[in-house]
Amino acid sequence: MDFFELFMQSLPRFADGMRTTLFLTVAALFFGIILGMIACFFKISKLKVLRAIATIYVDIIRGTPLLVQAYFLYFGISQGIGITMTNTTAGIIVLSLNAGAYLSEIFRSGINAVNKGQMEAARSLGLSYSKAMIKVVLPQAVRIVIPSVVNQFIITLKDTTIISVIGAPELMKTANIIVARNFRGFEIYGMVAILYFIVIFILTKISQVIERRLSNGKSKSSQSA
C-alpha cells in the first residue's frame, strides 16, 4: 500500500479525530474566555481577596505543565475524590483552565492598554465605574486583544495533542491507534503533521488579516480625529 492509499484509508479516522480536536479547542476557548474575564476582573479588583484568588489561579496554571494538570485532573482527582468523568470532559476542563489563565493576562493587558483618560472622561460624564468599564473601556480593549485571542486559539489547538495521554479521541490519539495497528508511524505521523500544519496555517493567516484590518481601522480613525 503506497502513501496515497494509506492516507485515503486513514482519512475517515483522521476526520473524526480532527472534529474532536476542533471541538475540544472551541469548547476550551469558550470556557477559557469566561474564566479569563472573571480572573481578569478579579485581578484588577480593589478587593485583596479577589486579587489573591486570581493570582493563585494564574500562577498555579502557568507554573505547572499541561501534561501534569491533565494527569492530576483525570487520574488524581478521580481517585482522590471519587469523581468520574470522561476523557473528553477532562480534556475540556484542563484546556479551559489553561487557556483561561493566559487569557486573563491578555485581557488585563488589553484593559491597561486603553488610555486612562477614557475612564476619567466617562466618569466625569456621570457614568459609574462599572458602566464606564462596560461601555467605554471594554469595547476598546476587545479590539486590542482580538489578535492575541486568535493566537491563543492556535496554542490551544496545539495543546490538544497533550490530551491524548488521557485517552481523548482527538487527532493525535487517533494517529496512535492507527500506528498501533499498521506499524507505519513515519507515514501516519507525517500525515498528522501535515493536517495540523494546514489548519494552523489557515488560522495564522486569519489572525494576520484581522490584525491588519484592526491596524488599518485604528490608523484611519486616528487620522480622522
Side-chain angles (χ1 to χ4, degrees), residues 80-117:
I81 304 179
I83 298 176
T84 57
M85 65 183 77
T86 65
N87 43 33
T88 301
T89 301
I92 292 174
I93 294 174
V94 170
L95 291 171
S96 299
L97 290 171
N98 195 269
Y102 288 93
L103 285 169
S104 69
E105 294 302 298
I106 291 173
F107 295 148
R108 189 165 67 92
S109 64
I111 291 174
N112 290 335
V114 177
N115 194 312
K116 293 182 179 180

Side-chain angles (χ1 to χ4, degrees), residues 45-102:
S45 172
K46 295 180 180 179
L47 298 177
K48 291 184 178 179
V49 176
L50 296 182
R51 291 202 305 270
I53 292 173
T55 300
I56 292 171
Y57 161 62
V58 172
D59 288 349
I60 290 177
I61 296 299
R62 296 182 67 173
T64 55
L66 181 60
L67 180 61
V68 175
Q69 296 167 18
Y71 273 122
F72 177 76
L73 179 69
Y74 188 63
F75 298 110
I77 290 182
S78 60
Q79 291 180 359
I81 304 179
I83 298 176
T84 57
M85 65 183 77
T86 65
N87 43 33
T88 301
T89 301
I92 292 174
I93 294 174
V94 170
L95 291 171
S96 299
L97 290 171
N98 195 269
Y102 288 93

Side-chain angles (χ1 to χ4, degrees), residues 77-171:
I77 290 182
S78 60
Q79 291 180 359
I81 304 179
I83 298 176
T84 57
M85 65 183 77
T86 65
N87 43 33
T88 301
T89 301
I92 292 174
I93 294 174
V94 170
L95 291 171
S96 299
L97 290 171
N98 195 269
Y102 288 93
L103 285 169
S104 69
E105 294 302 298
I106 291 173
F107 295 148
R108 189 165 67 92
S109 64
I111 291 174
N112 290 335
V114 177
N115 194 312
K116 293 182 179 180
Q118 299 287 325
M119 173 62 79
E120 295 171 358
R123 296 300 301 276
S124 67
L125 293 174
L127 293 177
S128 64
Y129 177 83
S130 58
K131 286 186 177 180
M133 178 64 71
I134 294 172
K135 294 185 177 181
V136 178
V137 177
L138 280 183
Q140 299 180 65
V142 168
R143 186 184 183 91
I144 294 170
V145 304
I146 284 177
S148 298
V149 172
V150 176
N151 186 58
Q152 182 59 47
F153 183 91
I154 296 172
I155 293 172
T156 303
L157 177 65
K158 294 179 181 178
D159 286 344
T160 57
T161 58
I162 299 177
I163 304 303
S164 64
V165 300
I166 60 174
E170 44 73 65
L171 185 56

